[in-house]
Amino acid sequence: MREGILSLHPLVVDLDGTLIHTDMLHESALRALRDNPFDTLRIPFWLLKGKASLKKNLADRTDFDATSLPYNQDLLDWLKQQRAHGRKLILCTASDHSIATAIAEHLGIFDEVMASDGATNLAGKHKAETLEERFGHAGFDYVGNSRADLAVWQCARRAVVVNGSANLARKAGGYCEVTHVLPSPGRGFTTWCRVLRVHQWMKNLLLFIPLFAAHQFTSPDTWLTLFLAFISFSLCASAVYIANDLLDLESDRQHPRKCKRPFASGLVPAWIGVALAPLLLLASLTLAQHAGGDFLPWLLFYFVVTCGYSWGLKRIILVDCLILAMLYTLRIVAGAAAAGMGLSFWLLAFSVFLFLSLAFVKRYAELEVQLLNGKQKTHGRGYYSSDAPLVQTLGIASGYAAVLVLALYLNSDAVVKLYRAPEFVWGAVPVMLFWVSWMWMRAHRGEMHDDPLVFAVKDKASLLAGIVFAGVLAIGTVGWPW
């Protein structure tokens, strides 16, 4: 953005959606929901006293980290230039005064803070009247982002439009001179895929595992049922991912990669997530009813467990990894329920140990990142960076336990009934030994993605191991043609 003409007129800057890519009222409400759920029941009563009262009560009951907010860096750099040229900067926001003050103190570029005080909601006409009374008509320049700021631009000398549409800029230009326009970052198809975490849907292919394990490939009705179950489970998982992202904003912002997630970065407003998650869940439940079998109860159980994980279980050491392993295994159980199939002890035992190992991989990778960044404790988790060696040991032991279960299964009578050439199936054991060891080797070297399954589908060695594993099982099933 080009530098504006030096002016002695003060530059008044809005906060929500302008200086930061988020809304502090929405974030305060989400923190209250996470930390003090019963306080959210009091929101309607606070709102009866006015929006300013609501903001003050939420601000008084929640904490936030001003250093981790998604600031509009382009605007912030321009404001620093204006201040360097002697311009007086004023932060004027409808957010509560305590929040605005904390942000101003962190940035250190504002000469004054004007904000809601619990009685007056400093937005729209109230903000315009306050600024006009203080500086006079056309006695200041104003930086804003929404239709509510049009009332302020009517009494401003110049306008800077940030994160607003072209139509908003035209309307602002009808009241005063628009000197700068900073367009909002685009939200294309890729952004919405990231919001839904579509790449995580591949985990739900686990629903088909019982079908393959039982060698029942010929029923079109079963395939259709599992397909509906897959879509239903995926939509439910996306709803939970959104809820988890909204409740974990501060922790994500302190992570080198998670800080780029759509909600954490402010690319997508939090209110969209609040509206989208229930719609996804409703669509998921509707499809689940058509999937048949006992799929719906297991889907609801998955939803309840994941909500418990998001609200607090993920902050309890070891329990978080056990819950993650359970959530992976629940997908297999739900697939069997949808298809009306039974589950063997061997498949459940193998799944629990394998997914527990992968859960420990995920946590170990996060601890390694924290250690490299010089942090002794992970934000929003119960682990210390020094716990990494123990987590590694537990994870490797769990992975090898899964391989042991697989080896014992191959010595059972069930293998003889399912496979024509069971001796070939033993080749799956060294493949699994290699893959478990390989995953932990990559994690130890700091090369592991936050999610090991996402890493595995992109890793050539893992893909090759998967092909060999499937090939060995296929040969064992149909026999070797000689």
Side-chain angles (χ1 to χ4, degrees), residues 350 353 398-408 428-430 432-434 436:
F350 174 75
F353 283 115
S398 299
Y400 282 9
V403 179
L404 178 60
V405 170
L406 176 62
L408 293 174
V429 174
M432 282 301 302
L433 279 173
F434 165 78
V436 170

Side-chain angles (χ1 to χ4, degrees), residues 119-143:
T120 302
N121 184 41
L122 202 63
K125 292 183 178 180
H126 286 149
K127 181 185 287 191
E129 292 169 357
T130 301
L131 290 173
E132 189 170 24
E133 181 181 348
R134 173 72 184 278
F135 301 109
H137 187 78
F140 62 95
D141 296 348
Y142 182 71
V143 185

Side-chain angles (χ1 to χ4, degrees), residues 17-345:
T18 303
L19 183 62
I20 56 176
H21 292 297
T22 187
D23 188 295
M24 293 308 297
L25 173 59
H26 299 160
E27 297 223 359
S28 297
L30 288 170
R31 280 193 295 273
L33 178 63
R34 181 193 65 193
D35 301 332
N36 306 291
F38 291 108
D39 274 348
T40 57
L41 300 177
R42 305 169 68 179
I43 287 179
F45 300 99
W46 292 335
L47 192 56
L48 289 175
K49 299 179 181 179
K51 207 169 182 179
S53 175
L54 169 64
K55 293 176 179 179
K56 180 169 180 56
N57 277 286
L58 286 174
D60 290 343
R61 287 166 172 78
T62 56
D63 296 323
F64 79 101
D65 183 6
T67 65
S68 66
L69 291 175
Y71 291 98
N72 188 329
Q73 196 57 51
D74 290 337
L75 175 61
L76 197 54
D77 291 341
W78 182 75
L79 292 175
K80 290 178 180 179
Q81 293 177 8
Q82 295 297 301
R83 180 177 172 81
H85 289 134
R87 197 86 179 268
K88 182 178 181 179
L89 302 184
I90 299 171
L91 181 61
C92 185
T93 173
S95 288
D96 189 72
H97 198 276
S98 62
I99 291 176
T101 300
I103 292 173
E105 289 177 351
H106 164 63
L107 295 176
I109 63 172
F110 291 101
D111 300 286
E112 186 179 343
V113 173
M114 301 171 67
S116 298
D117 57 6
T120 302
N121 184 41
L122 202 63
K125 292 183 178 180
H126 286 149
K127 181 185 287 191
E129 292 169 357
T130 301
L131 290 173
E132 189 170 24
E133 181 181 348
R134 173 72 184 278
F135 301 109
H137 187 78
F140 62 95
D141 296 348
Y142 182 71
V143 185
N145 74 298
S146 70
R147 292 178 60 86
D149 294 316
L150 290 173
V152 184
W153 282 317
Q154 289 184 43
C155 57
R157 185 181 72 107
R158 289 177 175 173
V160 176
V161 181
V162 179
N163 293 333
S165 64
N167 184 50
L168 179 66
R170 283 195 297 270
K171 289 184 176 180
Y175 299 122
C176 62
E177 179 188 358
V178 177
T179 58
H180 301 297
V181 175
L182 266 70
S184 60
R187 294 194 291 265
F189 177 75
T190 302
T191 300
W192 296 111
C193 287
R194 291 171 58 203
V195 168
L196 299 178
R197 293 207 216 174
V198 172
H199 64 284
Q200 299 280 12
W201 288 9
M202 68 174 193
K203 296 178 183 177
N204 302 325
L205 292 173
L206 292 171
L207 274 77
F208 292 88
I209 291 296
L211 183 71
F212 286 94
H215 295 187
Q216 297 182 17
F217 313 114
T218 59
S219 173
D221 290 339
T222 302
W223 281 99
L224 177 59
T225 296
L226 286 176
F227 176 75
L228 289 176
F230 172 80
I231 299 299
S232 173
F233 217 99
S234 298
L235 294 177
C236 180
S238 290
V240 174
Y241 288 140
I242 290 173
N244 184 72
D245 286 350
L246 293 175
L247 295 175
D248 224 14
L249 289 174
E250 288 192 358
S251 296
D252 286 351
R253 287 168 182 162
Q254 296 186 25
H255 193 279
R257 286 188 293 271
K258 293 180 181 180
C259 65
K260 298 177 183 178
R261 286 177 173 174
F263 294 114
S265 65
L267 182 60
V268 178
W271 70 264
I272 291 182
V274 173
L276 184 58
L279 295 176
L280 291 172
L281 180 60
L282 179 61
S284 170
L285 296 177
T286 301
L287 286 175
Q289 290 180 324
H290 292 87
D294 294 325
F295 175 72
L296 180 57
W298 283 110
L299 177 69
L300 290 173
F301 182 61
Y302 167 84
F303 177 73
V304 171
V305 174
T306 49
C307 287
Y309 177 81
S310 297
W311 253 277
L313 293 177
K314 66 182 177 183
R315 296 179 177 84
I316 305 176
I317 60 172
L318 301 182
V319 172
D320 61 331
C321 290
L322 289 170
I323 294 295
L324 285 176
M326 180 192 300
L327 292 175
Y328 280 118
T329 306
L330 272 177
R331 290 171 165 88
I332 297 177
V333 175
M341 298 177 179
L343 280 173
S344 70
F345 161 81

